[in-house]
Every structure is written in C-alpha cells, then in structure tokens.
Amino acid sequence: MMITTAPFVSRTESAQYRLYEFAKTALIKIFATPYAAVCDFYCGGGVDTDKWNDAQIGHYIGIDASTTGITEARELWESQTKPYTAEFCELDPCTENLEAYLRDKGVPVDIVCCMQHLQLCFETEERARSLLQNVASLLKPGGYFFGITPDSSTIWAKYQKVVEASHNKGASAKPNPVANCIRSEHYIITFEVEEEKFPFFGKKYQLKFTNDIASETYNLVHFPSLIRLAREAGLEYVEIQNLTEFYDDNRAQFAGLFHTFCPTLIDPRGKLPRAADILGLYSTFIFQKPDPDFVPPITTPIVDGSHVEDREWHSSGRRPQTSVDDEKNGHLDIPLPPVDSGKGILGPGPADQRFPDFY
C-alpha cells in the first residue's frame, strides 16, 4: 500500500504569513507619506524594506535586539538600490534609552512601528513602559506609533471557552485540572501556566501553526495596560482593531492588494471563509503623539429636521481618536459601550469572541 504525506508548505506560502504581509502592507500604505522618517522596532532581517520602498519614505532606522537580525537587515538593504537612506542599530527598545543612541541618526521621526514583537515588552510592566517612553521620545509631534500584535481579547476568550467546557465536563465527577490548550484547524495555543485569571503582564503562551515545525513563545498584551502606559508616556490612543474588522473596513480600498497576497483565500463576495480564524488572532494598534500646534478640523453645520448639529469634516476615512479618562484605582476608567454592541474592554476581537467586561 502506498503511503502519502501532506505536501510541505513553506512559511512564505502559508496562509498566516500571506495574511500578515497583507496587513503590514496595508498599514504602511495608510500611514506612510513620501519622504517620511521611519523607526522600525524589531525589524528582524529587514523583511519589510520593500514595503517602505514602495511607500517612498525618505529615511529608515531599523532597530533590533538581535545581532543576526540587524546584520541581515543591513546586508539586505546594502545589496539593493533603495531611494531612502537607512541606519541599522542593535538596541533593545524595552531596556535601552533609544533617544540617546539615535540622536545623530535622524530623529525625531514621523512614524514608529512595531509590526511583530510588541508582545515581547509585556513580560513585565517595566519593559512595556520603557518601550512606550522610547516611542514618545522618538516621535515628532503629530507622529504615529502603529503595528500588529496577537489579539489578547480573542485568544483569552477562546481560552475561557475551553476552561468552561472543561469545568462542565467535570461537574459531576472529581475536579479536573484547568485546561491550558486551544486547538483549531490552523493552530494550537498552549498556556505555560494553567490559570483562569488574566495577569496584566507575563502571561506566556506558545502558538504553533499547523504547517510550522516549532512553536513560538508570546506574552498576552493587556490592552488597557497598553493604553494606560502609552498615555503616561505622552501618547494618545487612537484605535485597537481586530484584523477581521480591519480587513472589512479597508477591503474596498485594498481589494487588489489582498488579491495579490492571498488570491486563494477570498470568495467572490470578498469574504474570508478560509482565513477569518487566522486573521482574528491579530489586531492593529494605533497611537499618536499630540501636536500642540494642530488646528482642529473645520466643522460643518448639518441641518436635520428641526435641529442643527456640528460634524467634523474628515478628509480621510480614518476613525477619529477615542479619548480615555483618568486612571482610577489601578485600572483605566474606560466607558463601556452598550451591551448589544459587543465591544470588549480587552480589545475588539471578532464579534463572537468579545468580553463584556474586565476579567
């Protein structure tokens, strides 16, 4: 009898890689402007240099804590003709004062981005605070800090469902240990410590996609703590959005781009039946450094029946900033949305995976 095995799928051919590449490219197209100065945290081997090239930026600063990553990024940039200037520095944004090192490297910058390793800083509060203070010190007034990170709201909600199912199964028998594994057709998530509480920092887990040989270790990013520490550093919260919603909001604008990266994952209606589970594991985050010289947009009176209301005239489709009240009793006093809206305090997440309140 002939035994067949499933064909090997390389990382660059995998669904999660292609979806991630689409999301990064779309974010860069939204925020990058010609001749902008960019600082890229955890730039790795320079995998996004072509994306910044297409955005026609003027200057690029690649930061990574890995000697190998910085060497590969520098060699890749030097081997190709790029229209922008570049600096590559082996530094850890979570532990070192970047402004002191980069004073002569082209700072302040218009954009600081962190496309893949924000979760590294959530090992401790000190590391997260250090990274966000570095962001604020490097950005020009009005500049943006954005990127992509695993969506802790989605992951923790899935985990809670596993825990609940485990408890229900053992309700009539002796108590079962707390479940620590989330299984999907596309991935397995395993928590290192079996517990039902969501600590704000240091909650480790392993994520392994079905076509990957090994798993990678992450920390859950507690979004309210991210917003709080960002505000303390002088950054304003703009938006945290699950990638499924990011795709829905931008698919008309980036339909051609998505088809380039993921032609087999989209149906004729533009939906993602084969990819929503993977896409829903991640979210975008956007913060901005306030500009004291910013002139508010012109308001246009809108006549609706018997009353007149003011509406901001937005020149782009970007959502307006969301304000955050002062912190009280160690937690952010973020007004909860109406119950039927489904928005959760730990982050948006897919509609069926959202929190109604703090855990």
Side-chain angles (χ1 to χ4, degrees):
M1 183 178 75
M2 181 180 295
I3 299 177
T4 59
T5 58
F8 173 74
V9 178
S10 72
R11 186 170 183 83
T12 56
E13 294 174 341
S14 64
Q16 71 268 18
Y17 177 85
R18 286 179 285 144
L19 289 166
Y20 213 81
E21 288 297 291
F22 159 76
K24 289 192 293 183
T25 304
L27 270 177
I28 289 172
K29 285 183 176 293
I30 290 172
F31 285 97
T33 56
Y35 311 110
V38 175
C39 186
D40 187 3
F41 284 4
Y42 300 108
C43 64
V47 294
D48 296 326
T49 52
D50 285 341
K51 299 180 183 66
W52 295 112
N53 183 48
D54 294 340
Q56 300 179 353
I57 64 170
H59 186 58
Y60 175 87
I61 304 173
I63 304 294
D64 202 280
S66 163
T67 301
T68 302
I70 282 296
T71 300
E72 291 177 349
R74 182 184 291 111
E75 290 177 350
L76 177 63
W77 182 81
E78 291 176 347
S79 68
Q80 302 173 357
T81 302
K82 300 293 183 186
Y84 57 86
T85 56
E87 299 278 356
F88 298 92
C89 305
E90 183 183 339
L91 298 167
D92 188 345
C94 294
T95 61
E96 300 178 78
N97 181 351
L98 299 190
E99 185 181 23
Y101 286 101
L102 303 178
R103 197 164 290 140
D104 300 324
K105 305 291 186 182
V107 297
V109 297
D110 302 286
I111 291 171
V112 175
C113 68
C114 187
M115 294 297 197
Q116 54 184 346
H117 290 312
L118 180 74
Q119 60 273 10
L120 292 178
C121 76
F122 262 73
E123 185 174 350
T124 66
E125 182 169 349
E126 291 72 24
R127 288 175 62 84
R129 178 178 284 108
S130 177
L131 181 138
L132 291 164
Q133 288 174 343
N134 275 322
V135 171
S137 68
L138 297 179
L139 274 178
K140 295 177 182 178
Y144 283 96
F145 172 50
F146 64 84
I148 301 172
T149 189
D151 190 324
S152 57
S153 174
T154 297
I155 294 170
W156 191 250
K158 287 178 179 289
Y159 178 56
Q160 289 296 306
K161 288 186 176 182
V162 171
V163 170
E164 182 180 357
S166 176
H167 285 175
N168 290 340
K169 185 183 296 184
S172 58
K174 61 181 181 179
N176 289 341
V178 177
N180 71 329
C181 188
I182 302 168
R183 294 182 181 273
S184 160
E185 175 188 353
H186 303 104
Y187 55 80
I188 299 175
I189 296 174
T190 306
F191 286 94
E192 287 189 354
V193 179
E194 298 176 351
E195 61 183 351
E196 296 182 56
K197 293 183 179 179
F198 187 155
F200 294 174
F201 302 91
K203 181 60 176 177
K204 294 186 181 297
Y205 65 96
Q206 281 82 41
L207 170 61
K208 181 182 181 299
F209 287 98
T210 53
N211 56 293
D212 286 347
I213 297 174
S215 61
E216 295 186 15
T217 301
Y218 298 90
N219 295 293
L220 284 179
V221 175
H222 185 253
F223 290 138
S225 294
L226 173 64
I227 295 170
R228 170 176 64 86
L229 293 175
R231 185 190 59 206
E232 290 175 2
L235 301 171
E236 293 182 352
Y237 165 66
V238 177
E239 186 176 69
I240 294 175
Q241 185 179 42
N242 186 267
L243 279 187
T244 56
E245 294 178 344
F246 176 82
Y247 169 75
D248 286 340
D249 283 354
N250 295 283
R251 67 180 180 183
Q253 180 181 358
F254 296 119
L257 179 66
F258 189 87
H259 192 270
T260 298
F261 281 102
C262 313
T264 63
L265 300 178
I266 191 169
D267 68 13
R269 299 171 299 169
K271 299 293 185 180
L272 301 171
R274 295 183 53 205
D277 185 35
I278 298 173
L279 207 61
L281 281 184
Y282 298 94
S283 67
T284 60
F285 60 88
I286 304 166
F287 294 86
Q288 186 178 29
K289 184 173 181 176
D291 184 352
D293 298 325
F294 173 72
V295 178
I298 299 171
T299 58
T300 304
I302 305 298
V303 180
D304 182 14
S306 59
H307 69 279
V308 177
E309 58 180 346
D310 284 344
R311 183 179 66 184
E312 286 189 358
W313 184 263
H314 294 282
S315 60
S316 69
R318 191 174 301 144
R319 294 180 179 179
Q321 290 185 182
T322 303
S323 61
V324 180
D325 295 333
D326 291 336
E327 182 185 1
K328 295 181 180 179
N329 302 321
H331 294 287
L332 284 180
D333 185 12
I334 304 175
L336 289 175
V339 175
D340 60 355
S341 75
K343 283 285 187 179
I345 196 66
L346 290 178
D352 63 343
Q353 298 287 347
R354 291 171 176 152
F355 286 108
D357 208 337
F358 274 113
Y359 267 85

